Amino acid sequence: MGRRMPRVYLIRHGETEWSLNGRHTGVTDLPLTANGERMVTDMGNRIIGPGKLIDPAQVRHILISPRQRAKRTEELMFGDHPPPKCSIVIDPDVAEWDYGKYEGMLTKDIRKEHPGWEIWKDGGPPGDTPGETPEQMTARVDRVIAKIRKIHADAEANADTPEEADHSDVIIFSHGHFTRSFIARWCDFPIAAGYHFSADAGGLTVLGYQHNTLKEPSLLGLNWYTEYQLQSK
């Protein structure tokens, strides 16, 4: 059995009114619904704690989007198990894709104005209220990945034992399109590959490495502990 290599946990915020009806929610600072709060509290109780999927003793860094829905998700999920040796940072680089004037719109309505529109190839619109392009989003996600890979590389270089190096997990509390973009870029795919990954409200994605080496970044688990999965337990 190989080492338990360091991991990155991507957690999308819980349910909001706009996530329920499919509106593009970038900079709008919506709260969680009551059901969203219940969802992430239940999820935290299941997966966070000694001996559980996310062991607070192994977490060294938490990055949180500036939006309240992400901050509240982090607060509710950790509950009585805050990581004892961890930096917690509000990081604008893990915010959601900026949709510009498409903020709050449904995809079907955007396509009435911009036929064939796809976030992965078109991004937010140009003009007086521009959004982020796929190239800008790629650059932002890549900055976060570079930061995390340096954390993991430094931990390995400075550790006295392999086990100590592996206690350098990172958790990101963020959003749907950011999560899907991050998965694609972590695996060295173009950002448009994010189209093929799922990130439901309250969903958990696990990323890490294969074959005991930091040279093989991999997707380990996708969209775990969603509302449907919790209800079916």
Side-chain angles (χ1 to χ4, degrees), residues 35 38-39 42 46 225-233:
N35 184 57
R38 179 200 61 78
M39 177 196 307
D42 190 8
R46 290 172 182 269
Y225 298 95
T226 62
E227 175 75 354
Y228 171 79
Q229 292 168 324
L230 291 174
Q231 287 178 347
S232 64
K233 296 295 184 181

Side-chain angles (χ1 to χ4, degrees), residues 17-25 99 102 104-107 109:
E17 289 296 334
W18 282 12
S19 73
L20 271 175
N21 57 35
R23 294 182 182 276
H24 286 80
T25 320
Y99 304 114
Y102 292 160
M105 295 179 66
L106 302 173
T107 296
D109 294 326

Side-chain angles (χ1 to χ4, degrees), residues 11-61:
I11 299 173
R12 184 183 173 189
H13 62 78
E15 176 189 279
T16 69
E17 289 296 334
W18 282 12
S19 73
L20 271 175
N21 57 35
R23 294 182 182 276
H24 286 80
T25 320
V27 298
T28 304
D29 207 7
L30 297 177
L32 300 181
T33 63
N35 184 57
E37 294 214 353
R38 179 200 61 78
M39 177 196 307
V40 297
T41 300
D42 190 8
M43 178 177 164
N45 290 335
R46 290 172 182 269
I47 67 170
I48 296 176
K52 297 183 180 180
L53 177 61
I54 300 177
D55 185 341
Q58 294 176 317
V59 178
R60 292 293 178 270
H61 300 272

Side-chain angles (χ1 to χ4, degrees), residues 98-105 110 113-114 124-131:
D98 186 342
Y99 304 114
K101 74 171 184 176
Y102 292 160
E103 180 79 8
M105 295 179 66
I110 296 172
E113 176 181 324
H114 186 162
D128 293 339
T129 311

